[in-house]
């Protein structure tokens, strides 16, 4: 459930103690040292062209050090409360399907990013905080660097915590030709059963 813009007062922490630890607020996210995307619009356009996300669709993608796409998968968020633990399990399940883990490396080389298409505007919500928590934890468990969290709404796209965004693509815009994102090669097609938390809509 989305609660809108989170107030900065202590009232924003009125949820249970467990849930509070499964949501990252913008200040915590910014302090985590998330690596910046060199060309976020190119990444967003490439994922949008491949997965055609609509509201409640999440897209997780793995990028190599040169920001080339190595794997991605899209899936639908089922109606439920925003819970970072549930989102973590869903993201991790998708990562395990599309790419081997890097847990044997001393330092993560590949980076996972998450694009979430939702209703509302680009302002941070509790749901976004739960996705941030889930992405960060899933990356740790899969041996990846935690990368950008991007929202896609009818107003456009926004890299939360960075202040970078654009009007296109948006939740309503048609996909751009894949040729406009030359640095992103076609993502591998995958299969497998859906997570018990989220139903996978597509995997490419």
């Amino acid at each position: 459930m989305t609660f809108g813009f989170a107030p900065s007062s202590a009232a924003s922490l009125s949820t249970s103690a467990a849930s509070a630890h499964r949501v990252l607020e913008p200040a915590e996210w910014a302090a985590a040292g998330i690596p910046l995307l060199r060309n976020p619009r190119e990444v967003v356009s490439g994922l949008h062209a491949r997965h055609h996300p609509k509201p409640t669709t999440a897209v997780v993608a793995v990028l190599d050090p040169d920001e080339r796409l190595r794997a991605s998968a899209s899936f639908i968020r089922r109606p439920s409360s925003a819970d970072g633990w549930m989102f973590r399990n869903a993201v991790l399940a998708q990562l395990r399907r599309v790419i081997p883990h890097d847990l044997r490396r001393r330092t993560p080389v590949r980076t996972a990013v998450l694009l979430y298409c939702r209703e509302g505007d680009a302002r941070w919500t509790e749901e976004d905080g739960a996705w941030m928590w889930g992405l960060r934890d899933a990356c740790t468990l899969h041996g990846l660097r935690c990368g950008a969290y991007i929202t896609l709404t009818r107003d456009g796209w926004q890299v939360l915590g960075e202040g970078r965004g654009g009007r296109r693509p948006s939740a309503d815009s048609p996909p751009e030709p894949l040729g406009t994102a030359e640095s992103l090669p076609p993502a591998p097609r995958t299969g497998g059963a859906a997570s018990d938390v989220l139903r996978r809509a597509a995997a490419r």
Side-chain angles (χ1 to χ4, degrees):
M1 180 180 298
T2 299
F3 295 98
F5 184 73
S8 58
S9 68
S12 64
L13 302 179
S14 59
T15 54
S16 68
S19 295
H21 285 84
R22 294 171 183 164
V23 173
L24 289 179
E25 296 200 22
E28 296 175 291
W29 184 254
I34 305 301
L36 302 178
L37 290 170
R38 291 194 296 270
N39 193 334
R41 187 186 185 282
E42 192 171 78
V43 172
V44 173
S45 296
L47 295 178
H48 185 264
R50 284 168 174 78
H51 295 278
H52 310 174
K54 298 299 180 186
T56 73
T57 302
V59 181
V60 61
V62 179
L63 309 177
D64 69 12
D66 295 321
E67 216 164 89
R68 291 189 296 257
L69 182 68
R70 289 308 176 196
S72 65
S74 59
F75 49 99
I76 300 295
R77 177 209 195 289
R78 286 184 173 177
S80 63
S81 60
D83 188 300
W85 183 81
M86 295 172 66
F87 291 171
R88 185 276 308 274
N89 290 346
V91 172
L92 185 60
Q94 301 303 323
L95 289 173
R96 286 171 171 166
R97 286 194 187 97
V98 300
I99 200 162
H101 68 73
D102 278 347
L103 293 171
R104 292 184 180 87
R105 293 183 178 273
R106 288 188 176 183
T107 303
V109 173
R110 296 180 292 190
T111 302
V113 301
L114 184 69
L115 181 149
Y116 182 55
C117 184
R118 60 167 173 77
E119 301 287 354
D121 57 32
R123 293 177 297 175
W124 182 89
T125 68
E126 184 176 300
E127 182 182 30
D128 294 324
W131 279 115
M132 290 171 166
W133 190 97
L135 174 63
R136 186 185 66 175
D137 214 46
C139 287
T140 299
L141 294 174
H142 207 62
L144 302 172
R145 287 201 308 171
C146 179
Y149 172 72
I150 306 159
T151 58
L152 188 71
T153 66
R154 289 183 169 84
D155 294 331
W157 58 272
Q158 179 83 11
V159 184
L160 292 194
E162 295 184 21
R164 293 192 291 175
R167 294 185 178 180
R168 294 183 62 85
S170 70
D172 291 330
S173 64
E176 296 181 4
L178 283 173
T180 62
E182 296 177 357
S183 68
L184 299 181
R189 301 180 69 87
T190 62
S195 164
D196 59 350
V197 179
L198 303 179
R199 178 173 57 86
R200 179 173 57 83
R204 294 180 172 85

